Amino acid sequence: MDISQVAKRSGVPASTLRYYEERGLIRSLGRHGIRRQFGAEVLERLALIALGRSAGLSLDEIGSMLATDGDPLIDRELLLRRADELERTILRMQAMRDGLRHAANCNAPSHMECPKFRRLMKAAAAGAFDPQDKPSLPRR
């Protein structure tokens, strides 16, 4: 299957396929004229890469789990760490969602008079909603 067929069947642009090959994530079988040729197994490998990317893994992390024989070498510890990071992000985002809903529906004469709104401001100032940080969440 040539690169255009792989791009069409996988939804991955040809430029990305060339980049993945350069990074060692996929391997072409050779060329037919100027077009790279791939085996059908490349589609499954691209699906594994897409799964890793959707989980927030870097290409280096994904690459470390892709053996050259095609079978994945799943790093279970890495996946557990990523799952824990996602859980923290989910909790922060839920707290932010709840805070936004409260602010939108708060009946206080001024948001500055609302104790919950003030706690949310304090938490935001402390970085509790920054996805780069991992501090504790504000009280609800």
Side-chain angles (χ1 to χ4, degrees), residues 88-101:
R88 287 189 296 271
T89 299
I90 289 166
L91 291 172
R92 279 193 304 277
M93 298 306 291
Q94 287 173 333
M96 178 55 76
R97 175 204 60 206
D98 294 347
L100 290 171
R101 284 191 176 138

Side-chain angles (χ1 to χ4, degrees), residues 29-94:
L29 301 174
R31 292 178 184 262
H32 185 279
I34 61 170
R35 292 186 177 265
R36 288 175 170 85
Q37 299 293 309
F38 294 91
E41 70 281 350
V42 75
L43 296 174
E44 188 170 85
R45 199 160 176 101
L46 290 168
L48 284 169
I49 294 168
L51 179 61
R53 297 297 288 162
S54 66
L57 299 176
S58 70
L59 290 179
D60 287 337
E61 291 168 328
I62 294 167
S64 72
M65 291 191 262
L66 295 175
T68 55
D69 67 3
D71 289 334
L73 302 168
I74 303 300
D75 182 341
R76 294 173 191 276
E77 289 299 317
L78 173 63
L79 296 182
L80 288 172
R81 284 192 309 273
R82 182 64 188 136
D84 289 345
E85 289 172 19
L86 287 171
E87 181 65 27
R88 287 189 296 271
T89 299
I90 289 166
L91 291 172
R92 279 193 304 277
M93 298 306 291
Q94 287 173 333

